Amino acid sequence: MSEVLSLTVASADGGEHRHDLEGTGHLVVECRDDPALPGHCVLRFTRPSTPAPLGCQPLPASQAQAAKALVHLLATGRLRADPSALALQPGECGRLTFGGARASLGSGHLHLLVERYCGTVGARFGARLRAWLPALAGRSATVDREGKLHNLLRASADDPVMRDLQDSLFDELYWDPSLRAASRLGIRSPLGVAVVHESWLRGAWTPLRDRASAGGSVQQVGEHEWLRRYVQLRRDWLATHPNPLLREAVACMDTFRHLMDQEAWALPLPLVVNGEEISPATLAAPPHGCHEGPEPGTRELAVHSPLQRGLDVRLVQLALSDQGCELRADGVWGPVTARCIRAFQRASELPETGIADAALIQKLLALEN
């Protein structure tokens, strides 16, 4: 039997999500209320044996990037998610959650992501992560608190292979369904798709869509008029919502309205939204929390002001974690990392300087092999 995955969605949108899953070849095996998250339900489903077509015309890559970045900026204040982020989320489909795809242990998506990574040629940490696949597949409770695995996942986010797979999984779970929902309604503009995407992620797309269509469909009143009406309805709904986090999203609707007033339906770049630039340059920049250099051994590592950051720091921290040091491999060389280096130097009968020169870095990284 195919592996069963889970997705937690707003109860009001459960039917729409189920329709989308079944329409793309997935088999929905269960839909029930989530006892840990009132107003949400858990959809359990199997992946299709062969990929199903989108069933709609995708946006050009640059416009899709702009729409996704806009929604993420409005939700978090950043253009892109942190691929190295780890969090413990409530609910049976939460637990340990990793990266920009929000791949969670409880849903099975974390296992799926790591399994795909381990099976990809050139994955820098694939061999080391493969040993964790059984625990991830079994949703073992130890995974939530396993510091060595957490540091290994953080380090894998520096690998472009992992980042590409996270982007692909996010599209599969969240972006492509949003695009299909917009297409079914007749919404084609990048800004309009961004509006649908925000609703698909936060919830209440289905009932508010139906309320907006009661005054005329997209085809009857036109896409722009329908979207203005929908955004106003959604703003009113958010403003009176009992969840304070959702009430804060009123500002998101105000930004959508401002962009509509500016006739920015195509999301032409560059855009400045809430003081942040959305442009080809900012979209191509390395995401927050990731390091592309320098390579280990090309500089001495010590506590400085400002603190040293980079790939070399992360890899040394990962090696220290493997040696039993309790630290967070965040790529920032601070006092905790220096203390772990001194402990390693003491155990190796070396001068306790707290400084990692090229020889010490080479010694540490050699222990991983």
Side-chain angles (χ1 to χ4, degrees), residues 96-230:
L96 182 67
T97 302
F98 171 56
R102 301 191 293 188
S104 68
L105 178 68
S107 68
H109 296 148
L110 181 55
H111 173 258
L112 174 62
L113 175 64
V114 175
E115 183 181 49
R116 289 179 179 178
Y117 179 73
C118 293
T120 302
V121 174
R124 184 170 190 170
F125 302 94
R128 297 170 69 181
L129 277 169
R130 190 172 289 112
W132 292 97
L133 285 175
L136 294 173
R139 298 167 172 82
S140 171
T142 61
V143 170
D144 286 336
R145 303 292 178 184
E146 184 49 70
K148 289 185 178 181
L149 171 62
H150 297 184
N151 282 332
L152 187 53
L153 289 170
R154 290 188 183 99
S156 74
D158 291 335
D159 185 352
V161 173
M162 174 59 85
R163 298 203 295 269
D164 288 347
L165 286 170
Q166 286 191 20
D167 289 344
S168 177
L169 183 59
F170 179 87
D171 285 353
E172 181 182 328
L173 295 175
Y174 305 108
W175 172 253
D176 291 345
S178 304
L179 194 60
R180 290 191 289 267
S183 180
R184 286 195 293 269
L185 204 61
I187 292 172
R188 301 286 184 267
S189 67
L191 179 56
V193 173
V195 170
V196 176
H197 185 47
E198 185 278 336
S199 296
W200 195 265
L201 289 173
R202 280 202 173 110
W205 159 249
T206 305
L208 293 175
R209 175 203 63 192
D210 293 345
R211 286 177 58 189
S213 295
S217 68
V218 172
Q219 291 73 23
Q220 289 171 328
V221 302
E223 178 181 342
H224 295 180
E225 176 59 31
W226 189 94
L227 284 165
R228 286 190 172 95
R229 179 190 303 154
Y230 175 82

Side-chain angles (χ1 to χ4, degrees), residues 30-44:
E30 185 180 31
C31 179
R32 58 185 174 82
D33 291 339
D34 186 341
L37 290 172
H40 290 73
C41 63
V42 179
L43 288 166
R44 288 165 53 80

Side-chain angles (χ1 to χ4, degrees), residues 325-345:
C325 294
E326 293 188 6
L327 81 168
R328 178 189 177 98
D330 56 6
V332 181
W333 193 278
V336 173
T337 306
R339 188 161 58 246
C340 289
I341 282 290
R342 285 194 292 271
F344 179 77
Q345 289 169 327

Side-chain angles (χ1 to χ4, degrees), residues 65-114:
Q65 263 194 308
K68 285 186 274 191
L70 171 62
V71 172
H72 196 269
L73 174 63
L74 296 179
T76 68
R78 291 189 175 135
L79 291 181
R80 296 174 66 186
D82 180 352
S84 69
L86 283 165
L88 286 174
Q89 303 290 349
E92 64 178 76
C93 289
R95 312 268 304 280
L96 182 67
T97 302
F98 171 56
R102 301 191 293 188
S104 68
L105 178 68
S107 68
H109 296 148
L110 181 55
H111 173 258
L112 174 62
L113 175 64
V114 175

Side-chain angles (χ1 to χ4, degrees), residues 40-62:
H40 290 73
C41 63
V42 179
L43 288 166
R44 288 165 53 80
F45 59 95
T46 62
R47 298 197 302 275
S49 56
T50 57
L54 282 179
C56 62
Q57 184 65 36
L59 293 178
S62 61

